[in-house]
Structure formats: C-alpha cells, structure tokens
Amino acid sequence: MASPKEPNRNRSSQWLKRGAIIIALLAVVAGTAPLLSSALAPQDAVEILTHRVSRGDLDVTVTEDGTLESSSNIEIKCKVKGGSTVIWVIETGTTVEAGDVLVELDTSQIEDNVTQKKISYENALANKIISESDVAVAKTSITEYLEGTYQEERSTIEKEIFDAEEAVRNARLSYESATRLAAKGIVRSLQLEGEQFAVESARKELELKKKRLEALEKYTKQKMLQELRSALSAAEARLAADESALALEKQRLEREKEQLENCTICSTGAGLVIFPSAAAWKETPDIEEGATVREQQTLLMIPDLNQMQVKVGIHESKVDRLKLGMRARVQLQDMTLEGEVSEIAEVTRPAGWWTGNLVKYDTIIKLAPQPGLKPGMSAIVDVVLADYQDVLTLPVACIVESPEGFLCWVKTADSVKKRKIELGDTNDEFTIISGGLQEGEEVVLNPLAFIDEAQMQAIRPSQSESEDQAEPDGESKTPTGEEGAAPAKQKSEGKSPKVTGAQIVKMADKNEDGVLTEDEFSEKDRANFSEVDSDGDGQVTAAEIDTSLKAATR
C-alpha cells in the first residue's frame, strides 16, 4: 500500500519541474528565490549577517553612461553645390595645422563647367566691346553733325542766299536801265517785260533759299539730332545689357572656380580631426573614399580640447531634482574628474524600442580643461543630487516594504525583532533613517533570505489587493468553527503565501516603469527571460508573470 506521502512527493516533483521558470523569475527580487526554496526543501541553519547602524556622510547621486565631446567644434562641411564624391580623406585622429588638406573631392564635372563658363564669359566680353564702340560712334555722329554737316549745309544755303540777293539787285538794275531806255524808245516793251520777269525770278529764287535755311534750322537739324541721339541711347542700352551679361558670366565663372577650390578642403585651425559620429549629437555617417556627400554635410570636426563636456540622458524620474551647477563626478578609464551640470534639456529625447521605451532628458556636464581628454571616450557620470552630512544611514538591503510601511529586523541579545522605520533620501545603496533606529543597533542584512516573517511581509497583499481578491458576494473566506480552523492552520503552516505578478513587479522594478526588463533579472536567470516574455517585446508585465505562475502550478 502506497504511503499517503507519496502523492505529495509526486506532486512536489512535478511542481519542481514546472516551476523552474517561475523560480528564476522570482529570483529577481532579493530573497524571493530563497522563499520558494524554503517551501520545497528544509532550510539549513545559516549565520545571519547584520549591519551596525552608524552616522556618516551620504551622497545621493544618479548614475548614467555618457560620451566625452567638445562644446566647441570646427565643422568641416562640403560646400560643393549639388554634392560630390570623396576622392581622398585624412585619417580620423590625425593632428593637423591650419591649411592642411583634409578632404579631396571629385573635380572632373566642375572642370568642364569652368571651361564652358570661360567660353560664355569671352563671348559676353566681345559683345560688350562692340557695344562700347557703337556708343562712341553714336556720340561722334552727333558732334560730327552739329559741327560739320549742319554747319556745311547752313553755310552753303547762306552763300546761295547771298548769290540770290546779288542776282535780285542785278535784275533790278537791268530792269531800271531798260525802263529808262524804253522811255526814250530805245527798248521795246517786250524786252522790258523780259527784264521785269528776270527781277521776279531772282526774287523767287532768293525766297526759296531763305526757306531752305529756315527749314534747316527748324526741322532738318532737330530731326537729325533726334535720330542721332536715339541711336546713341540704343547703343548705350545695348552696352548696359552686354555689361550686365558680362558681369553675370563673370560671376558664374567665379562661382565655378570657387566650386573647384571647394573640392580641396583644408583645415581652418589646428587640432585633432574626428568624424562627426564621435559626437553623440551628430547623426552623420562617417565618410570614406568613393562615398557621395551632399552640400553642407558635415564631413569632419576639429574639437576644442579645452572645452570638453559629457552628455548623458537622465531618467524622467530623476530629472526634476536636477539643478544647474550641481556637482558631478565623471569617471574615465584612468581618471576621475569633477564637473558640474551646465545644461538640462527642456524636451525629452525620442523614446522607442531602441531605447527600451525609457524617457530620458539630455543633460550636459561641463568639465575643466584637462590634458589627455579626447572626444568619444566613454564616461560614467555620477550627478550629486544631494549631499548629507552626519546622518543616520542603513543599507537598502536591510529594508523590506510591506503594507505596514518600511520594516527592518533588529538583532537583540536573545532574538531578532521586527521594527517599523521612517526613511529619508536614498542613493539606492544606503538610505537615511529619520526614525525608528538608534546609532549602534545591529540590523539584519537581507532579511528576506533568513527571516520567514520578512518573507511573509514582503509578499503580503496590500489592502486594495486584498479587496480585489475578495469573494463577489462579500462573504469571508476564513472558515469558522473547529472544522474550518484546521484547514486554515494547515494553509498557514504547509503552503507558501500566494504570490502575484503585481507583487513581483513592484519588488523588482528598479526604474519604477511598471514592467521588468532583462537587466532587472539576476544574471544567472536572464536565460529564462524570453520564456516569461511571451509576446517577445523585451518587457515582462504582471500579466505575463501571472500566466507563468499559473502554468507552473498546474
């Protein structure tokens, strides 16, 4: 006949196999794994470690990783219109002087453009020279007419008028002589009429000459001057257009020559050459020979090594405590430097799966000049949020949070007693004790691993959780009478308290974001993280933990 204990052993063995994953999950909380182990196997007697309460100084810090960079950088950019191709680039980390060649870009296309612009410029120059000649000719034509052609025509007409007047006088004298002879009967009347006609003809000829002179002065001169001045204005307009075209072609030629010069990029100052990717705030790819670069792309940087800083991302839960001027310790590979907070971002950096959905604010830590600092060096920054002097402190490992409040277990001469304490500020290693303990008292370290009462307190549901788990009809689940007392006693003595996913998350959630990530699991249990993370999003929620608990206890 099988022993009554055999079914229990079989169930325990089956529970052990199915509960391996959840034991690893519970191990992320200090003392949770020992709690489950104590439910499966008897505990051996172990020595309880204690800590003596004492006074001392306490720095409350926030620690983040960052990268060293310079706050002042000479940016080497591509100035070629439309971009170009890299032919040669200097090695990063090279120390250069002002004028040293840093990058050479492809010049073939730009050289063709320079040749074409030279041809256009020479054509424009020829057109300008012709227009200048036309203007000079037009001006000379006006002078020529006023001082030459016009004067010649006027003098000719005046001479003709003089000759006509002389002809009129001669005709009149001849007519008067004929009249006297006709009176004496020597000249016939017909001959007299001929002399009279000659006088009229000479007079008409004189009037015609005077009209020609008047027309020259009033009309011909004005007309010729208008034509010549219009020709001059047109020539000057063509000259202005050709001068503008020449200036434009010259500007285009100079621009192409400048583009040709921009293909050879030289240093404008002395320093250490680095790629932009060495600065965390520059999301620019490193360049290499054959790479295509765009206009205004930052190709290289020359940082000012006397103005170094570290940029870190501070979690949103801590950023409200940051103030400008706060001290910071910057730990590099072989040195530790002092700095101060010089800038705090007002807007958070973008968060997503690539950042673990952590919301952080960029914070700048300014460093004093120090030899040996180089951009890109890794740094661990401790920003001092508060500095307390001569305060009562206790390790965080001594404290258990429960529905009653914060508890610790004080070792006395004959026993270990629970005590409620009041806490102040903390740096995640030590916590300021504002009430409940005295200097010199011995407090148990990691009570969850040694004291059953501490384990019970840690996993006790809060009042709200107890109400959520109550029966819908409001009846008490605690049995009364003798029949109910034995099962209740058996439950308290023989079974571990019920653990919920919400309780585990609450105890293990270091950054208080409501979920557990792989780095919040202990190193030995991270191999089981993917099995608990059922949806594969890199985060374990309370619901996923409850699902794993149910699967392990079936």
Side-chain angles (χ1 to χ4, degrees), residues 292-310:
T292 300
V293 294
R294 67 181 185 278
E295 183 183 359
Q296 293 302 318
Q297 176 179 336
T298 300
L299 308 180
L300 298 169
M301 297 174 62
I302 303 178
D304 185 349
L305 301 183
N306 292 323
Q307 300 185 47
M308 301 301 289
Q309 64 184 24
V310 181

Side-chain angles (χ1 to χ4, degrees), residues 96-154:
V96 298
E97 299 293 334
D100 290 351
V101 177
L102 304 179
V103 183
E104 292 182 356
L105 304 177
D106 184 22
T107 62
S108 56
Q109 182 63 43
I110 299 178
E111 288 175 348
D112 292 342
N113 293 341
V114 170
T115 302
Q116 184 63 41
K117 296 304 178 185
K118 282 183 178 179
I119 295 173
S120 299
Y121 172 76
E122 294 298 336
N123 289 333
L125 180 60
N127 292 334
K128 175 179 175 290
I129 293 173
I130 294 174
S131 296
E132 288 176 342
S133 177
D134 292 341
V135 170
V137 170
K139 290 180 178 180
T140 303
S141 296
I142 294 175
T143 303
E144 178 188 18
Y145 175 74
L146 291 174
E147 299 180 2
T149 305
Y150 165 71
Q151 295 294 337
E152 180 182 355
E153 291 181 355
R154 187 172 182 276

